[in-house]
Amino acid sequence: MAKESVKLIANNKKAYHDYFIEDTYEAGISLHGTEVKSMRMGKCSIKESFIRIEKGEVFIYGMHISPYEKGNIFNKDPLRVKKLLMHRWEIHKMAGKIAEKGYTLVPLKIYFKGSLVKVEVGLARGKKLYDKRADIAKKDMRREAEKDFKVKNLY
């Protein structure tokens, strides 16, 4: 069995800044033909998107897929709600966690796995302002340390 290639389409860096990611799941996504062609060209954004579980099904809201130039009448609404494809036991497990206070589902990455479009769903807990500040301080300290290390190694 050959190793399937993974090609990143979109990444949600904001999610890592705003949330503590507790767990991740891989989900398929139900798309139409012109949406897949647009994604192959990398025209997709998940910055403002979020995920909800409704009646035992998982949906992604606010995911923007730019219309395909040559798609004319076949193009769908760029912000339409899209269904995520997951196993029922995964959905039940996530629904149980979301019932706990402070948990939510956020899309982390969208990528091609072979010829299929996949979404990495993160089970996340919101960060408070002081948590975000602490993360920024850590990044600054690490950046300074790397800079000092680089300067020392130049001489």
Side-chain angles (χ1 to χ4, degrees), residues 28-31 45-46 49-53 57-64 79-84 106-110 119-121:
I29 185 167
S30 179
L31 297 170
S45 172
I46 54 171
S49 59
F50 59 96
I51 297 171
R52 278 200 183 137
I53 299 176
E57 294 182 330
V58 186
F59 295 95
I60 186 166
Y61 292 83
M63 179 177 150
H64 187 276
L79 287 170
R80 78 179 179 87
V81 177
K82 294 150 195 80
K83 184 177 177 182
L84 296 182
V106 290
L108 301 175
K109 294 180 198 169
I110 296 184
V119 178
E120 187 173 283
V121 178

Side-chain angles (χ1 to χ4, degrees), residues 32-81:
H32 291 280
T34 54
E35 291 175 322
V36 176
K37 288 180 179 184
S38 186
M39 281 191 154
R40 287 210 184 277
M41 292 166 32
K43 305 214 174 178
C44 175
S45 172
I46 54 171
K47 275 195 175 81
E48 297 298 320
S49 59
F50 59 96
I51 297 171
R52 278 200 183 137
I53 299 176
E54 297 168 359
K55 298 178 188 164
E57 294 182 330
V58 186
F59 295 95
I60 186 166
Y61 292 83
M63 179 177 150
H64 187 276
I65 301 175
S66 300
Y68 183 59
E69 292 112 44
K70 300 178 182 85
N72 58 37
I73 61 166
F74 298 107
N75 280 331
K76 300 288 180 190
D77 176 32
L79 287 170
R80 78 179 179 87
V81 177

Side-chain angles (χ1 to χ4, degrees), residues 12 26 50 75 81 84 93 102 111 119 121 143 146 150:
N12 192 355
E26 184 180 71
F50 59 96
N75 280 331
V81 177
L84 296 182
K93 187 176 175 185
Y111 54 93
V119 178
V121 178
R143 205 174 290 129
E146 286 173 2
K150 200 181 254 185

Side-chain angles (χ1 to χ4, degrees), residues 93-153:
K93 187 176 175 185
M94 287 190 312
K97 283 282 191 179
I98 289 174
E100 291 179 33
K101 193 171 185 285
Y103 280 102
T104 186
L105 291 173
V106 290
L108 301 175
K109 294 180 198 169
I110 296 184
Y111 54 93
F112 278 106
K113 191 172 182 183
S115 63
L116 303 173
V117 178
K118 299 288 184 178
V119 178
E120 187 173 283
V121 178
L123 182 68
R125 193 167 35 87
K127 284 185 181 177
K128 303 280 189 258
L129 185 61
Y130 56 85
D131 291 326
K132 292 179 190 178
R133 286 185 184 145
D135 279 355
I136 291 169
K138 277 184 198 169
K139 280 182 189 171
D140 287 344
M141 286 171 51
R142 187 168 52 241
R143 205 174 290 129
E144 287 293 324
E146 286 173 2
K147 190 174 160 185
D148 291 343
F149 181 72
K150 200 181 254 185
V151 169
K152 285 177 186 174
N153 285 344

